[in-house]
Amino acid sequence: MFRDGVRKSIWQEEIRKFPSKIHTDPLYDVAIVGGGITGISTAMRLQKAGKNCIILEASNIGFGTTGGTTAHLNNFFDTTYAEAIKDFGLDNAILLKNVGIEALHIIKNNIHEFDIDCDFEMKAGYLFALDEKQEKKLADIIEGSSKVGHRIDSINDIPFPIPFKAAAIIPDQAQFHPVKYIKKLTEAFIASGGVFIEKCLCKSHEEFDDMVRLHTSKGIINAAHIIYATHIPPGINQLHFMNAPYRSYAIAFTLKGDSYPKDLG
């Protein structure tokens, strides 16, 4: 599997090519641009609902974010619930919490329904503060989580050999192998009648009253609706001037023996 990063992902050994054949249907119900977990999950749900869907992936499944993720399945986000309450109000912060819980349930249900072996495990997550500034932020995180009904408990010990000033545990989190998961989900999508096209770059689209015409590297594709399951759509629009590129990193170590924490930190 190829990725868009310089560094090799631990998921990269999972190589799978899918047969590419665009059906001669003059009009798909939905065209989904992007073959990561968002695009494939969306396409599977729509296909199950009776829609005739096609996924267009510019490279291969997991090429972007999905293939380089740390594979944590969290219903706790970089934007804390305290920040969400401040910026968007309590009701919307509660909605954010519920969406996170529902996303985890969708993945668990797909694993069960399609018999996906992807190393899925439920885990506890931990947050810990290393100094007084982080200690205050952790207190705000716990308070905000309490307001939206998301469980985070203060604790006095963590499974990591790191000195800390304060800590909290977040139950009911999970981890999995993202590429194994989307491979099987893509197979299920194709088996249900969906069309998946790799190496198909969507260059632009035109909107008409009753359809959307996609101009791709493999020709023109027509659909009643289009979903961009990408960071931003192609072309030039307002989003391009509001988004800045950035990348996060995870460092992996080989440890001697089996005495190491297996929770999420």
Side-chain angles (χ1 to χ4, degrees), residues 14 16 18 40-41 44 61 110-119 177-192:
E14 299 294 329
R16 175 63 191 267
F18 294 91
I40 294 170
S41 300
M44 187 71 251
I61 63 167
N110 283 339
I111 289 171
H112 176 74
E113 180 177 354
F114 302 114
D115 192 26
I116 301 175
D117 181 7
C118 60
D119 308 323
H177 191 304
V179 176
K180 286 182 180 179
Y181 174 78
I182 63 171
K183 275 174 57 181
K184 292 292 289 186
L185 200 60
T186 303
E187 290 172 3
F189 170 72
I190 294 171
S192 67

Side-chain angles (χ1 to χ4, degrees), residues 228-245:
Y228 280 107
T230 58
H231 290 295
I232 48 179
I236 299 176
N237 59 60
Q238 187 176 3
L239 284 174
H240 291 81
F241 299 97
M242 298 174 64
N243 285 269

Side-chain angles (χ1 to χ4, degrees), residues 74-90 92-101 140-152 170 173:
N74 300 331
N75 49 46
F76 183 85
F77 310 103
D78 289 342
T79 298
T80 69
Y81 292 116
E83 292 168 339
I85 292 170
K86 178 183 176 183
D87 293 340
F88 304 105
L90 179 59
N92 286 323
I94 292 173
L95 181 62
L96 175 64
K97 176 206 68 172
N98 291 338
V99 166
I101 293 171
D140 291 339
I141 288 173
I142 294 172
E143 181 182 0
S145 298
S146 176
K147 289 180 179 178
V148 300
H150 188 280
R151 184 181 172 188
I152 298 182
I170 312 171
Q173 309 301 290

